[in-house]
């Protein structure tokens, strides 16, 4: 298995532009997590899905952020409009859970976002 | 608000030394505590702890949880340069209903092993 796949690996954009980050979870996993990591705030959980359904999006910083999971093999995290303070590394992780959440997650390589 | 505090923030030791990393927490409805290792890229899972006093072990790494004193330690014996990484602690908390769990990460301990 290729593991969790994220694209792009690096994104540099100007303030105000729309940014879309993509994630392909490990085949067979039914939970998907989006995280943001910065030096100041560490690793923060933004949202997670189970069986393609958003379960908890309380970590999403504001309405400019949205996430979708149209099927079991694909998810997107969108920022519109982007701001410099959104600059961070965004990780996607997946896991398999039967019943309650399993936190033995497998992380993707991350997308380093820079908003100028 | 749930809190997870790791100490020390940074640690530099010589190869062969033993290190102990600390994670304390203040959460409502504790469920489990997780340790991750983050090298240059993404975090990789190390341990999940749910019960007090039961040591989890993997090679030179071991971890234990104290639910009374609200902390966990991660021990690494006979350290090697490949152990250099950021070690993250995370706590899962919330009532036992699907969708009501929260995951909070500490800011990590940066461990550097000098050859």
């Amino acid at each position: 298995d290729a593991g969790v796949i994220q694209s792009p690996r690096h994104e540099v954009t100007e303030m105000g532009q729309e940014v879309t980050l993509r994630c392909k979870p490990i085949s067979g996993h039914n939970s998907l997590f989006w995280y943001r990591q910065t030096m100041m705030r560490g690793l923060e959980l933004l949202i997670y899905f189970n069986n393609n359904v958003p379960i908890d999006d309380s970590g999403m910083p504001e309405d400019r952020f949205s996430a979708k999971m149209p099927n079991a093999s694909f998810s997107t995290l969108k920022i519109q409009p982007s701001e410099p303070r959104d600059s961070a590394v965004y990780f996607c992780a997946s896991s398999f859970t039967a019943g309650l959440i399993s936190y033995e997650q497998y992380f993707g390589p991350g997308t380093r976002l820079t908003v100028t | 608000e749930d809190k997870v505090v790791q100490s020390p923030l940074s640690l530099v030791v010589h190869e062969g030394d033993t290190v102990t990393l600390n994670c304390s927490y203040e959460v409502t409805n504790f469920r489990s505590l997780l340790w991750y290792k983050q090298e240059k890229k993404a975090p990789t899972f190390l341990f999940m702890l749910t019960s007090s006093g039961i040591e989890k072990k993997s090679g030179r790494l071991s971890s234990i949880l104290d639910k009374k004193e609200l902390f966990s330690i991660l021990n690494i014996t006979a350290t090697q340069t490949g152990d250099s990484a950021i070690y993250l602690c995370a706590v899962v908390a919330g009532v036992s209903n699907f969708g009501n769990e929260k995951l909070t990460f500490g800011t990590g301990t940066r461990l550097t092993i000098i050859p």
Side-chain angles (χ1 to χ4, degrees):
Chain A
D1 198 315
V4 176
I5 298 172
Q6 289 187 248
S7 64
R9 296 292 304 277
H10 300 273
E11 176 83 32
V12 180
T13 190
E14 292 183 344
M15 184 174 68
Q17 297 297 306
E18 177 180 296
V19 175
T20 299
L21 312 181
R22 297 173 177 79
C23 176
K24 177 179 168 55
I26 292 173
S27 177
H29 282 186
N30 61 354
S31 291
L32 183 140
F33 306 78
W34 281 103
Y35 292 90
R36 176 173 68 177
Q37 187 173 40
T38 62
M39 289 290 290
M40 292 293 293
R41 300 175 65 91
L43 196 62
E44 302 171 280
L45 177 63
L46 300 177
I47 185 171
Y48 72 86
F49 295 84
N50 182 261
N51 294 324
N52 312 337
V53 177
I55 301 301
D56 181 6
D57 65 355
S58 60
M60 296 285 261
E62 48 197 274
D63 292 345
R64 296 183 298 106
F65 286 69
S66 63
K68 292 182 180 179
M69 192 164 186
N71 57 61
S73 58
F74 183 66
S75 177
T76 59
L77 178 68
K78 186 177 291 187
I79 309 172
Q80 166 64 20
S82 58
E83 297 182 3
R85 60 192 167 118
D86 301 330
S87 297
V89 179
Y90 290 81
F91 288 105
C92 174
S94 71
S95 68
F96 176 77
T97 178
L100 295 177
I101 289 288
S102 162
Y103 284 88
E104 186 170 346
Q105 299 175 23
Y106 296 81
F107 281 72
T111 295
R112 183 174 293 278
L113 173 65
T114 304
V115 183
T116 61
Chain B
E1 184 180 336
D2 293 345
K3 288 184 185 177
V4 178
V5 178
Q6 291 186 246
S7 64
L9 291 180
S10 179
L11 185 58
V12 181
V13 300
H14 287 97
E15 202 168 22
D17 288 352
T18 293
V19 298
T20 298
L21 310 183
N22 303 289
C23 176
S24 62
Y25 59 90
E26 291 178 32
V27 302
T28 303
N29 295 313
F30 172 89
R31 299 281 306 284
S32 60
L33 186 144
L34 312 160
W35 283 98
Y36 287 86
K37 176 183 181 182
Q38 185 174 22
E39 297 175 83
K40 292 181 181 177
K41 295 180 180 176
T44 53
F45 175 81
L46 295 175
F47 298 113
M48 184 167 84
L49 303 154
T50 55
S51 301
S52 270
I54 298 176
E55 185 183 53
K56 292 268 181 109
K57 199 169 171 64
S58 176
R60 295 176 295 102
L61 277 66
S62 64
S63 183
I64 198 161
L65 173 68
D66 186 327
K67 290 167 74 172
K68 183 178 177 184
E69 300 297 330
L70 308 183
F71 76 93
S72 173
I73 60 172
L74 175 69
N75 277 322
I76 309 175
T77 59
T79 52
Q80 302 171 358
T81 54
D83 297 327
S84 295
I86 296 173
Y87 289 83
L88 296 166
C89 169
V91 172
V92 180
V95 295
S96 299
N97 287 327
F98 197 72
N100 288 312
E101 298 159 301
K102 301 295 180 186
L103 176 64
T104 305
F105 275 84
T107 52
T109 293
R110 181 179 293 275
L111 176 64
T112 303
I113 309 298
I114 300 172

